[in-house]
Amino acid sequence: MDARIDRVARSVSRFVAGDDGRPGTADDRKVYIRPGTADDRKVYIRPGHEMNGDWYRWSATSRQSPADYVDAYRHIHGRFDAAGLTSRNAVQYIWSPMACGNQGLCSSGGNPADYYPGGDVVDWVGVDAYNWGNTRSRSTWESPETILRRSLDQVADIAPGKPLSIPETGTPSDAGGDKNQWFNDLYGFTSYYRHGSDGRGVKMMNYFNVAKNEGNRWIDWTAVRSSDDHRFPAFASMMRRGNVLGGDTARHVSTAAFRGR
């Protein structure tokens, strides 16, 4: 397993290194949302996401515990460090458990806080959160605030001072609600959310723009299918907002923004 981790680490190291071939120096690549070039890259790494559920091999089961997950996360981090990826200006690590609607973070594998590998190996914290609508027998249409607020509060409490993110979120089409309005609500909530104790807001969000089979049902999560797809004007409007990177104009992500500052 270490050999596989090391191969990935070396590949990432080559990816971020600039002309001098060494990561962590002044010519490291930076990132553009679009279009970008080979000289404009940095990397976020998210080892073992959604570990607090029961659907991945790294989730807690009768054969492994949250402590096993923490050991594995820290081991991977160490192997990447050994490959030269020690500059936090080149690589940022994200810890992101799964949200289970308005109940907060999923707890099928025990206390989500037990999975936190430590502030010395985590740069960002976040939550993956989905509105499943009526696509499941026991699910209903839920607003962005319903699926996100409590879980964001929880990860903020678990990891004081870390920037907050939403690495994955999505809402289905034809599932009992207004998808276009959901995007309006998503922008509104993520723009104005603040953690109660320290005022941290959401610094990064990624939308799950995929249509895929989920169990025994095909679900269309997509907001955009092509560059000229305007099925959801609210999503297009959100992408044109001044505090959103992407949309029609390529804008440089500064080192400070990359690190959530």
Side-chain angles (χ1 to χ4, degrees), residues 29-212:
R29 293 166 176 167
K30 298 184 184 296
V31 65
Y32 286 82
I33 299 302
R34 53 178 295 196
T37 70
D39 295 323
D40 305 315
R41 301 171 186 166
K42 291 188 178 183
V43 176
Y44 290 104
I45 299 175
R46 194 164 61 120
H49 64 295
E50 300 175 13
M51 76 305 293
N52 57 322
D54 57 9
W55 46 88
Y56 285 127
R57 287 177 292 176
W58 52 83
S59 303
T61 66
S62 59
R63 294 185 178 182
Q64 57 193 20
S65 67
D68 294 324
Y69 169 82
V70 169
D71 288 345
Y73 183 111
R74 296 186 67 88
H75 181 77
I76 292 170
H77 193 286
R79 303 301 294 193
F80 274 61
D81 279 353
L85 293 166
T86 56
S87 171
R88 296 287 75 85
N89 290 335
V91 176
Q92 292 275 288
Y93 289 84
I94 304 173
W95 180 74
S96 59
M98 184 72 176
C100 279
N102 61 8
Q103 77 177 51
L105 295 176
C106 302
S107 56
S108 58
N111 183 357
D114 292 341
Y115 290 91
Y116 187 59
D120 60 321
V121 291
V122 172
D123 301 301
W124 292 70
V125 294
V127 295
D128 293 355
Y130 288 87
N131 164 37
W132 290 89
N134 61 12
T135 63
R136 294 176 167 180
S137 60
R138 297 183 180 180
S139 65
T140 59
W141 190 266
E142 295 180 300
S143 70
E145 181 168 3
T146 297
I147 65 173
L148 285 164
R149 178 177 289 280
R150 187 171 180 184
S151 291
L152 284 170
D153 285 344
Q154 286 178 280
V155 295
D157 288 337
I158 291 169
K162 298 296 183 181
L164 301 177
S165 65
I166 304 171
E168 294 182 31
T169 192
T171 191
S173 301
D174 303 320
D178 185 336
K179 187 168 181 173
N180 192 64
Q181 182 58 45
W182 197 91
F183 289 131
N184 272 327
D185 296 340
L186 177 65
Y187 180 79
F189 173 73
T190 54
S191 295
Y192 299 110
Y193 167 83
R194 295 294 182 271
H195 180 53
S197 66
D198 58 19
R200 274 177 290 167
V202 175
K203 293 282 190 176
M204 175 170 59
M205 177 174 65
N206 300 287
Y207 186 77
F208 192 70
N209 193 54
V210 173
K212 64 188 289 276

Side-chain angles (χ1 to χ4, degrees), residues 13-14 16-29 39:
S13 181
R14 290 192 297 270
V16 301
D19 291 338
D20 66 3
R22 294 182 293 115
T25 58
D27 71 340
D28 280 359
R29 293 166 176 167
D39 295 323

